[in-house]
Amino acid sequence: MTSASSADQVDESPTSHVTAEHPGVNELFAVLAYGEVAAFYRLTDEARMAPDLRGRISMASMAAAEMIHYELLRDALESRGVDVVTAMSRYAAALENYHRLTMPSTWLEALVKTYVGDALAADLYLEIADSLPDEVADVVRAALSETGHSQFVVAEVRAAVTASGKQRSRLALWSRRLFGEAITQAQYLLADHDELVDLLISGAGGLSQLSSFFERLQHTHDRRMRELGLS
């Protein structure tokens, strides 16, 4: 394989061999669909941790948006002749393990996980989407679109960490833990699903670019920590 350092090689799209019929597309839709269902139940549970009605409503609204995204992915899979429940079940163990290992114990930890942890998964899938045909990439981007509630999370966390250095230290440590677990679980998931690996390699510009891909995840994670006042 030749280096991708020249201008011509950088401009050459790595997606020319990736079509909408690639077997990894169904797998990508399936893991995203299960992620949306899992997020719905998690956010519904965590809404009970909110200290006031405003927080419960905001978290419940985010949960409702997850189900809208799930329905989009379900429809996309069904249009491809794939049963969504059967396809999703292959990813249940990996995603539930991540959530088990990152169970928040406080309302603020739940908010940080919603803003930072979930966004890391979105970064990975959006990078894969860049290698896909438009009709497939559009589904992925729509399913991962902002729900309009992120500013609520930022405001709540920033207010808390501004008022308490102890909270800032605790939540900064929690954010770093979320990043580490997300990367570890993503690697486990990819190790078991070759079709997703192929899509990721295409999106990252080749196997040699995977290290820079994970560096980009770190950079976006660091940016989100700054937005929350945790760095």
Side-chain angles (χ1 to χ4, degrees):
M1 180 180 294
T2 58
S3 171
S5 60
S6 71
D8 288 342
Q9 289 168 319
V10 169
D11 290 338
E12 183 180 358
S13 171
T15 68
S16 58
H17 66 290
V18 179
T19 69
E21 289 70 42
H22 190 291
V25 172
N26 290 345
E27 299 301 315
L28 178 60
F29 286 172
V31 68
L32 284 171
Y34 190 83
E36 301 291 356
V37 172
F40 168 80
Y41 284 109
R42 177 174 57 82
L43 291 168
T44 301
D45 287 341
E46 290 170 2
R48 299 187 180 95
M49 302 171 70
D52 53 37
L53 181 59
R54 176 175 175 268
R56 290 193 292 274
I57 291 172
S58 294
M59 196 69 91
S61 295
M62 284 187 273
E66 301 290 357
M67 288 309 296
I68 293 173
H69 291 162
Y70 160 75
E71 290 167 358
L72 174 69
L73 291 157
R74 177 203 62 199
D75 292 347
L77 281 167
E78 289 181 350
S79 72
R80 297 166 65 88
V82 177
D83 178 74
V84 63
V85 174
T86 301
M88 288 193 308
S89 65
R90 294 192 289 271
Y91 296 96
L95 295 180
E96 290 301 330
N97 193 46
Y98 166 71
H99 291 305
R100 180 182 61 81
L101 292 170
T102 58
M103 190 76 68
S105 59
T106 68
W107 169 242
L108 289 173
E109 286 185 359
L111 290 180
V112 171
K113 181 177 177 180
T114 297
Y115 192 73
V116 173
D118 294 356
L120 286 168
D123 289 340
L124 188 152
Y125 299 131
L126 288 171
E127 181 111 6
I128 296 174
D130 287 341
S131 72
L132 303 177
D134 289 342
E135 67 269 27
V136 176
D138 288 347
V139 173
V140 176
R141 293 181 182 121
L144 296 171
S145 62
E146 285 285 340
T147 58
H149 301 283
S150 61
Q151 289 310 305
F152 157 75
V153 175
V154 172
E156 287 269 320
V157 175
R158 287 188 71 91
V161 302
T162 298
S164 170
K166 182 178 180 180
Q167 283 284 16
R168 180 185 293 108
S169 298
R170 287 186 67 255
L171 293 176
L173 182 62
W174 172 244
S175 181
R176 288 192 289 271
R177 178 182 167 190
L178 289 170
F179 180 81
E181 290 292 352
I183 295 300
T184 298
Q185 296 304 316
Q187 290 171 337
Y188 286 156
L189 187 148
L190 290 169
D192 290 335
H193 299 279
D194 293 340
E195 300 91 344
L196 284 179
V197 172
D198 188 68
L199 286 182
L200 176 56
I201 290 173
S202 298
L207 187 61
S208 63
Q209 298 300 314
L210 278 180
S211 61
S212 62
F213 165 72
F214 284 109
E215 287 176 7
R216 289 194 295 277
L217 289 185
Q218 178 72 66
H219 290 321
T220 56
H221 174 71
D222 291 345
R223 173 178 56 78
R224 292 187 184 104
M225 286 189 65
R226 290 193 297 272
E227 290 169 350
L228 292 173
L230 299 179
S231 63

